[in-house]
Amino acid sequence: MDQKAARAAATKAFKAGGMPLRKGHHRLGDPKKDEIVWYVDLRAQSAGPSSPLRFEVGCWVAALDHPEPEGGPVDCPLLLDRSVSATTPAEMGAEVGALVARVTEIDSVAALRAALSAGDLGRPLVDQSLRTLLGE
């Protein structure tokens, strides 16, 4: 599947999952009322139309009192990458759906702490302010 088709399928699946685009990034949650807000971008791993894709996922935490990330996931205190394995639009929809379902479950600092402790998020980059908040 080419990048254009992959991006179209991903955007459709993100919208269906309640994660529409906001300032060019898919966002789940509202920084004005939610404890945790997730941002996701679909990125190419290198230049070229056949380059593999990955999800860049960021978690913004209201308790840190950081401004809402204008740059999307990369400006969040927690950042992780997930490789995309989908080869068809249907597979992309399923992969996005699974990602949205997973981050939807992590809707509080306590849930984030538990997911990180269990290794459910792999090995994300976590900045010092979030480590301090989580008691690491």
Side-chain angles (χ1 to χ4, degrees):
M1 169 172 58
D2 69 12
Q3 283 187 17
K4 187 173 181 177
R7 291 178 187 284
T11 298
K12 183 177 177 180
F14 277 122
K15 282 183 185 178
M19 205 168 184
L21 281 173
R22 183 184 181 284
K23 294 186 179 183
H25 313 283
H26 296 282
R27 183 177 83 178
L28 179 67
D30 181 349
K32 291 183 175 112
K33 64 178 184 168
D34 294 321
E35 192 172 339
I36 298 283
V37 179
W38 290 94
Y39 293 84
V40 179
D41 286 340
L42 187 58
R43 299 274 188 220
Q45 292 184 13
S46 63
S50 61
S51 174
L53 297 172
R54 64 181 166 79
F55 295 112
E56 185 176 74
V57 182
C59 178
W60 179 87
V61 180
L64 294 176
D65 202 29
H66 291 178
E68 182 180 356
E70 292 295 322
V74 75
D75 287 345
C76 291
L78 182 147
L79 178 67
L80 64 104
D81 286 337
R82 291 277 169 106
S83 295
V84 173
S85 60
T87 59
T88 68
E91 288 175 358
M92 179 61 86
E95 202 164 331
V96 168
L99 176 62
V100 171
R102 181 62 190 121
V103 298
T104 298
E105 294 170 355
I106 305 171
D107 61 354
S108 67
V109 171
L112 180 61
R113 183 180 297 115
L116 288 169
S117 294
D120 293 346
L121 297 175
R123 297 180 49 129
L125 298 173
V126 181
D127 78 6
Q128 188 58 50
S129 64
L130 182 54
R131 286 184 190 282
T132 301
L133 178 69
L134 296 173
E136 291 184 6

